[in-house]
Amino acid sequence: MKTMRWASLVAFLVLLLVLAACAAQPTAIPSTAGEQPTVPAIPDPAAEQEAALPFAEEDVSHAIALSQMRGHLSVSLPLWEAGNYELAAAHASHPLAELFPIVEDELKAVNADAALRSALDAYLKLAGADGDAAKVKTAHQAVLGAVDAAEQALIGSWVDDATFQGEVIRGLLEGVEEEYAEAVTDGKIGELVEYQDALGFLTAARQHYEAIEAEVKAEHPKEHEEIEEQFIKLEAALPGVTPPAEVVAPDEIEEHIGELVAELSEAVGLEAEATLSPVEIIAAIREKVEGSLEEYKEGKNDEAYELAASAYLNGFEKIEADMVAKGGQELMETLEIQFKDLRDGIKAGKPPADLEQLASEINANLDKAEALLK
């Protein structure tokens, strides 16, 4: 009997241990696949655009700068032929003084900077005075060839890409809109140089469209007809270096460009541009200026220059026309000079304290621009 009681007790203890072990196991909870919940990713528009486009924003900016060189040069020669040497020289100087620095480092990296600089300088020396017409025309052709070679060296792989060409055309037409708005005051051409800048940029935009015209016409005939119609209207408004007797209003130019870009976007698949207010654009400009200084202090001069150039080309230029329309011509011109001084200061390796002071002055004037445009 005693043996049986001990056996029963042992069996009871074993049962308790088994039950305790079962209780320690986690209770199975039904699930679809045992997966952990995921947090939805936050879209990054900049990353999405970079993934969508095989070329970089800098490629487009460089192509626009080189094309604006062509634009200035295209109006310089007829001015020289008309005996207007002062204006001919003014347009011949812009590529070297304002646009060449934007692409200089990249050209230097592929050993293509010296040829372009030399050709620009050679033509500039001839454009400001009377001389041998054959010699001037030869120098003009040479400098256009040098611009073509520079473009091939920097962005040759994208020259035949319709979307890339479309982005360049859009950038050039934005320049047309801005320069034309600056040129017109009270229904008259008050700033002849700006009018001629607009003409040159339009000429360059047309040349870029001609490079993809056959493709667009074959694949998007309706859009091509609309694009061609708007080009014709713009060319009628800017027929040559001498303005027409009847000046087209800037709003009408803006409308033609808007319609042209809309059709071009349909045809070649341009990325939609974010619509930013002047205040948002100014905020982006400030950020780039600040970033430029930070890169400069770290010894990253190329990156600093790119940011400073972008602050002007991809930021300030977008509000210039609005500033002029609201009576801010003098403020706009002051800021133009200051942005150039910032780029030149980075190129020259000026002390960071000097550039910080300049950036402070830029920001003070941006405060005035923001108040003007609100």
Side-chain angles (χ1 to χ4, degrees):
M1 293 293 294
K2 186 175 180 180
T3 303
M4 292 181 62
R5 283 199 299 270
W6 275 106
S8 298
L9 181 59
V10 169
F12 179 71
L13 290 172
V14 169
L15 178 61
L16 287 178
L17 290 172
V18 171
L19 291 174
C22 291
Q25 297 296 318
T27 304
I29 300 175
S31 65
T32 54
E35 298 178 350
Q36 295 294 321
T38 58
V39 179
I42 299 174
D44 182 350
E48 289 175 4
Q49 183 171 359
E50 186 70 20
L53 296 176
F55 45 82
E57 180 184 343
E58 288 78 10
D59 294 325
V60 176
S61 296
H62 294 154
I64 291 172
L66 290 167
S67 295
Q68 287 180 337
M69 286 188 189
R70 288 195 195 91
H72 286 298
L73 294 166
S74 72
V75 297
S76 175
L77 183 60
L79 286 166
W80 185 90
E81 291 173 328
N84 195 332
Y85 306 124
E86 183 179 352
L87 279 177
H91 288 289
S93 68
H94 289 162
L96 193 58
E98 299 176 1
L99 298 168
F100 181 76
I102 295 172
V103 294
E104 182 178 7
D105 288 340
E106 287 71 19
L107 289 173
K108 190 175 293 184
V110 293
N111 297 316
D113 58 313
L116 179 56
R117 181 192 286 276
S118 177
L120 289 168
D121 188 57
Y123 176 68
L124 176 58
K125 288 177 180 177
L126 296 173
D130 193 8
D132 184 337
K135 190 174 181 181
V136 172
K137 289 179 181 178
T138 298
H140 188 261
Q141 286 299 313
V143 73
L144 289 176
V147 174
D148 290 343
E151 181 180 65
Q152 186 65 35
L154 285 190
I155 42 127
S157 58
W158 302 117
V159 168
D160 297 325
D161 186 279
T163 303
F164 181 85
Q165 291 284 10
E167 293 287 357
V168 175
I169 293 167
R170 175 162 64 181
L172 287 167
L173 291 176
E174 287 176 356
V176 173
E177 184 179 325
E178 291 156 5
E179 296 292 343
Y180 191 85
E182 291 178 29
V184 177
T185 304
D186 297 329
K188 298 179 182 179
I189 299 297
E191 299 291 339
L192 185 56
V193 171
E194 278 71 19
Y195 164 83
Q196 291 164 348
D197 286 346
L199 169 63
F201 297 167
L202 177 61
T203 301
R206 169 63 102 167
Q207 291 170 347
H208 278 277
Y209 184 66
E210 288 171 355
I212 59 172
E213 182 176 1
E215 179 180 342
V216 175
K217 187 176 182 179
E219 298 180 7
H220 303 275
K222 182 177 178 297
E223 285 79 5
H224 165 70
E225 288 180 8
E226 292 292 336
I227 291 168
E228 186 66 24
E229 180 182 344
Q230 299 308 321
F231 264 125
I232 291 171
K233 289 178 179 179
L234 289 167
E235 289 161 350
L238 294 97
V241 292
T242 300
E246 187 174 342
V247 175
V248 175
D251 287 349
E252 191 172 336
I253 296 295
E254 182 180 351
E255 182 180 344
H256 293 322
I257 289 174
E259 292 180 13
L260 193 160
V261 170
E263 296 298 334
L264 186 65
S265 298
E266 287 291 326
V268 302
L270 301 184
E271 290 288 322
E273 283 194 319
T275 303
L276 300 178
S277 69
V279 172
E280 290 171 322
I281 292 172
I282 289 172
I285 294 169
R286 293 184 198 275
E287 185 176 342
K288 288 182 178 179
V289 169
E290 181 181 354
S292 176
L293 291 178
E294 291 174 357
E295 297 284 7
Y296 189 71
K297 290 175 185 176
E298 294 178 9
K300 300 176 181 177
N301 290 19
D302 290 348
E303 291 84 349
Y305 187 89
E306 287 289 344
L307 281 170
S310 181
Y312 176 73
L313 290 173
N314 302 318
F316 186 67
E317 280 200 339
K318 296 180 182 298
I319 60 172
E320 285 184 328
D322 291 336
M323 289 178 66
V324 172
K326 293 199 173 185
Q329 175 83 31
E330 185 176 348
L331 177 61
M332 182 273 293
E333 292 174 353
T334 298
L335 276 162
E336 274 192 333
I337 294 170
Q338 289 177 326
F339 279 114
K340 184 177 184 302
D341 288 344
L342 179 62
R343 299 193 302 272
D344 291 347
I346 292 170
K347 281 281 187 186
K350 286 193 172 183
D354 291 356
L355 297 186
E356 285 180 341
Q357 176 60 35
L358 179 57
S360 177
E361 294 169 6
I362 289 173
N363 280 318
N365 281 325
L366 287 174
D367 288 341
K368 296 176 185 177
E370 188 172 339
L372 180 70
L373 297 175
K374 277 185 177 178

